[in-house]
Amino acid sequence: MQSMLAHVKERTRLDNLDTQVLMQPSQFGRRDGSNLHVALLGRPNAGTSTLFNALAGRRTSASPFLGETRRVNRGRSEHRTPEFEWLCQLYMPATGQDKGDSTPTSARPVTYALSDCPSHAMARLRCPREEALCEADGAKVSDEPTMDPHEAILELCPGAAGADVVMVVLRAFEGDEVTHQATTVDPARDLLYVANACRLHDVWKLKRRIQVLRDTRAGEWVVCEKEALLRAQHFLTQPDAGGRGPFHALRQGTWSDNEVAWLEDLGLLTDKAWVVAINVDCRPWLRKAVPADLVKPVEARATKLGINPRYCVVYSGAFEKRLQILRETPTPPPVEEHMRARPPLEAYLDANVDHASAAPALLGAPLDALQLILLFTCSPDEVRAWFVRDGTTVIGFCGGVHEVMRRNFEVAEICDYADYVACGSEEQVRRKGKVRRLGADVVLEHHQVIFVKFKIPRESEAADGRVAWNSDGRLSTREMDKKAQQDMAVQEEARKQLDEETDHHVRTGLRF
């Protein structure tokens, strides 16, 4: 009895440990800025190209045949949140009002760089547990996908190596007009298939890098990097001392800062944050009657793979394609002169209030997966949205914007977005005392409007080298001052040489 209780307590401890590892902030990915790189990945004909076209507004080929996408398609998409749109209407620049535009020309929302990864390499993978028939026959098969030759797995996702977030698109729709590898619809199986393929891809990349370091005889840092990569390879292929593992992703482990830097340089796939997009049929999506037996197994599988179930977004690729066609359809002329011409998309959404796009949820999930929060900087000249890591201080945000702002920081004025909406304008917010003047060590929160005041260096200070206009955060303050003085000395020497050459040519009678 005591042994059974001890076993239950140990199992509970391991389950809690798994939950802690799952819910801890992501160690990989971007920290701050206004641009994110999202890679769309999935099995052939799962809807990656259709989703890419809907988000980026492109017209890339989306064929019903297998392996149509042969190269990486790249595009951009703006994440314009309702909070950002409201601030744009509040801080309308004078140039936009003079021209009669409905949106300001200097609005800068969070922008996504999208990459549609080709699926032809994924089609070459073979998984023995592809069909339910294999399990019914009782055949002893493996979950591991295989490919001949094995090195070809490195060509799996050429556009996802430098991505910050991987968005896995899963097929959860029926239809005989599209060719699929599998004859049955099982998004949870497809998620495991993609996870195993990405793990195999990372294992081969780690093997190649470890072999290079073994052939290299250098300093201590090479030995440390080799040991870290060996630990990562063992993490993906062998169980640990406690009998847990092998794990499906590197994001399920805990790594030091140096190990994170070495792993990020390799362009691995399992160390990134993952977002799961479940592509369902159009009719149940519009009726808000998506079967739970399609979503619940995917969330359970995602939990085992180290993906938070909150980042599993359900959408309909067919409906997003319909909205894209309406968005690109030109506005017809009005029936009569006194009538206003309405765009087709606006007329459709007004007639069908319950039909809404899933693009905001799909674009907001990468920010949540990376544990990022949104901040806004506003002025009559520009309204801009920034994302920073949750827990970032004011001085950390200033350093991410520019080093000069960090070094010459004076004070920050912060106001919550809810107070802005309640008051209606910046003047009323300041009159009611909702703006807080804070120091450099205050932690920022989600959806805050921040005004940073910093000292602009004078020309004399810049000439003396006391202020360095250098945004390289890897240099210390003393190194930056020394580098600025060296640059100024080189520029002064070049100016003197140019003056001497000009004076010599003028005295000799040359004109140029």
Side-chain angles (χ1 to χ4, degrees):
M1 186 66 179
Q2 294 180 355
S3 62
M4 183 178 298
L5 291 176
H7 175 72
V8 171
K9 292 181 179 180
E10 180 67 17
R11 184 68 264 173
T12 305
R13 187 188 68 82
L14 292 178
D15 292 342
N16 295 334
L17 182 61
D18 292 342
T19 305
Q20 294 173 5
V21 170
L22 173 65
M23 299 304 295
Q24 70 179 357
S26 175
Q27 298 173 280
F28 302 91
R30 293 282 298 276
R31 296 298 187 268
D32 48 35
S34 293
N35 299 279
L36 274 181
H37 184 190
V38 180
L40 303 180
L41 176 63
R43 302 194 64 177
N45 287 347
T48 54
S49 298
T50 303
L51 180 59
F52 171 79
N53 293 335
L55 296 179
R58 297 285 299 276
R59 280 288 187 176
T60 58
S61 177
S63 173
F65 302 102
L66 292 176
E68 177 67 20
T69 305
R70 308 292 298 183
R71 60 183 181 85
V72 181
N73 299 318
R74 303 186 185 276
R76 301 182 69 84
S77 178
E78 294 182 349
H79 183 37
R80 306 179 73 95
T81 60
E83 296 80 8
F84 179 80
E85 294 287 356
W86 189 88
L87 291 173
C88 288
Q89 295 297 329
L90 181 63
Y91 289 88
M92 181 68 68
T95 56
Q97 293 178 353
D98 295 341
K99 296 180 182 179
D101 298 336
S102 59
T103 56
T105 56
S106 57
R108 302 183 64 182
V110 173
T111 306
Y112 290 85
L114 302 176
S115 298
D116 179 21
C117 300
S119 57
H120 70 278
M122 188 75 72
R124 296 168 54 189
L125 289 170
R126 299 186 305 276
C127 186
R129 300 178 68 93
E130 185 59 56
E131 303 294 340
L133 183 62
C134 297
E135 300 181 2
D137 294 341
K140 186 178 180 180
V141 294
S142 175
D143 290 330
E144 293 288 343
T146 58
M147 178 183 287
D148 294 328
H150 297 289
E151 293 80 2
I153 193 67
L154 299 176
E155 304 175 1
L156 182 65
C157 308
D164 301 308
V165 180
V166 174
M167 183 175 294
V168 182
V169 181
L170 302 178
R171 173 206 173 194
F173 58 90
E174 300 285 350
D176 299 333
E177 65 277 2
V178 180
T179 306
H180 297 282
Q181 281 185 298
T183 58
T184 57
V185 177
D186 191 352
R189 176 202 60 201
D190 294 343
L191 180 58
L192 179 61
Y193 181 92
V194 175
N196 285 330
C198 293
R199 179 163 63 94
L200 187 61
H201 168 273
D202 291 356
V203 169
W204 273 96
K205 271 203 170 182
L206 290 171
K207 286 182 179 180
R208 174 174 292 185
R209 180 59 182 169
I210 291 171
Q211 186 62 36
V212 171
L213 294 180
R214 282 175 176 171
D215 298 338
T216 304
R217 297 182 179 180
E220 185 69 20
W221 64 274
V222 175
V223 177
C224 296
E225 180 181 0
K226 184 174 65 175
E227 292 178 354
L229 298 184
L230 286 172
R231 176 180 169 229
Q233 181 184 2
H234 189 276
F235 187 83
L236 295 176
T237 56
Q238 302 294 333
D240 58 7
R244 301 168 62 241
F247 295 91
H248 288 86
L250 295 172
R251 60 181 173 272
Q252 295 178 274
T254 303
W255 313 92
S256 64
D257 295 339
N258 290 334
E259 291 173 343
V260 168
W262 291 327
L263 294 175
E264 283 185 338
D265 290 342
L266 297 180
L268 305 178
L269 300 178
T270 61
D271 64 349
K272 307 179 187 302
W274 278 31
V275 175
V276 179
I278 308 173
N279 188 5
V280 300
D281 290 316
C282 183
R283 180 169 297 181
W285 164 255
L286 296 180
R287 295 171 54 190
K288 302 185 184 303
V290 179
D293 55 351
L294 287 178
V295 180
K296 293 298 183 181
V298 175
E299 294 179 350
R301 180 68 66 183
T303 304
K304 295 181 179 179
L305 297 177
I307 307 172
N308 198 313
R310 293 191 294 112
Y311 311 143
C312 298
V313 183
V314 181
Y315 80 103
S316 174
F319 178 69
E320 298 296 335
K321 184 177 181 180
R322 182 189 302 178
L323 293 182
Q324 181 189 4
I325 294 175
L326 292 175
R327 191 181 299 111
E328 297 175 355
T329 302
T331 304
V335 179
E336 298 181 8
E337 294 182 357
H338 65 278
M339 294 184 178
R340 184 178 68 90
R342 302 186 64 190
L345 180 60
E346 179 182 346
Y348 175 82
L349 294 179
D350 290 344
N352 304 273
V353 182
D354 297 337
H355 298 181
S357 174
L362 291 171
L363 295 178
L367 296 177
D368 296 337
L370 288 175
Q371 306 292 330
L372 301 177
I373 60 175
L374 280 179
L375 301 176
F376 305 102
T377 55
C378 306
S379 69
D381 299 328
E382 182 186 64
V383 177
R384 185 166 182 175
W386 305 81
F387 59 80
V388 297
R389 191 69 173 268
D390 190 9
T392 302
T393 59
V394 174
I395 196 65
F397 168 74
C398 296
V401 177
H402 203 282
E403 184 65 21
V404 174
M405 183 183 296
R406 186 190 67 83
R407 294 186 58 193
N408 300 274
F409 172 81
E410 291 185 352
V411 68
E413 297 179 347
I414 298 177
C415 177
D416 296 333
Y417 172 77
D419 295 335
Y420 250 81
V421 175
C423 297
S425 65
E426 180 182 348
E427 181 181 359
Q428 294 297 326
V429 167
R430 294 185 180 277
R431 283 185 177 182
K432 295 183 178 181
K434 298 295 183 179
V435 178
R436 305 183 299 274
R437 298 175 66 90
L438 303 176
D441 297 332
V442 177
V443 178
L444 297 172
E445 297 179 2
H446 189 49
H447 282 174
Q448 285 185 334
V449 182
I450 178 171
F451 302 92
V452 180
K453 293 186 177 181
F454 62 98
K455 182 180 178 182
I456 299 178
R458 299 190 298 268
E459 296 182 0
S460 59
E461 294 178 350
D464 296 339
R466 282 179 284 175
V467 176
W469 291 90
N470 193 329
S471 60
D472 191 354
R474 294 172 297 181
L475 302 177
S476 62
T477 304
R478 182 176 301 177
E479 292 174 345
M480 292 175 61
D481 293 340
K482 183 177 180 181
K483 186 177 184 301
Q485 293 177 3
Q486 294 176 355
D487 295 341
M488 291 180 184
V490 172
Q491 295 177 4
E492 184 67 20
E493 184 66 24
R495 187 183 62 80
K496 289 182 179 179
Q497 293 180 1
L498 181 61
D499 293 343
E500 292 177 358
E501 294 178 1
T502 303
D503 183 64
H504 172 72
H505 290 313
V506 169
R507 284 189 285 103
T508 55
L510 298 178
R511 297 290 185 269
F512 54 93

